[in-house]
Amino acid sequence: MSIGKYLTNMGVIGALFGALGTARQAQSMPRDWRRFLVWGVWAAGLVLAIVGVAKQLDDEQFEAE
């Protein structure tokens, strides 16, 4: 597996840049459970983008059949 395909994927790049907006939003929030929820949603989006890239080869092979 090459890390380059993850670093050049627009979904992963967008999810990583989403951390900037999440950080700004979390700074203005009170320090309670909602802050952790915001970061958890961001982390879930990043994981989904990474898994999407990982499964891309499987999808291409399935379409070829």
Side-chain angles (χ1 to χ4, degrees):
M1 269 194 177
S2 163
I3 196 153
K5 70 179 181 179
Y6 295 99
L7 294 177
T8 58
N9 184 279
M10 292 307 290
V12 175
I13 292 170
L16 288 173
F17 277 117
L20 299 174
T22 302
R24 269 190 252 134
Q25 181 180 4
Q27 283 180 347
S28 66
M29 296 177 70
R31 294 187 183 269
D32 62 357
W33 60 272
R34 291 174 286 187
R35 181 179 284 205
F36 295 111
L37 185 63
V38 167
W39 280 108
V41 169
W42 171 80
L46 179 63
V47 168
L48 285 174
I50 291 171
V51 169
V53 174
K55 291 292 186 175
Q56 188 174 7
L57 182 60
D58 294 341
D59 291 342
E60 291 171 358
Q61 290 175 351
F62 180 75
E63 288 178 3
E65 291 179 359

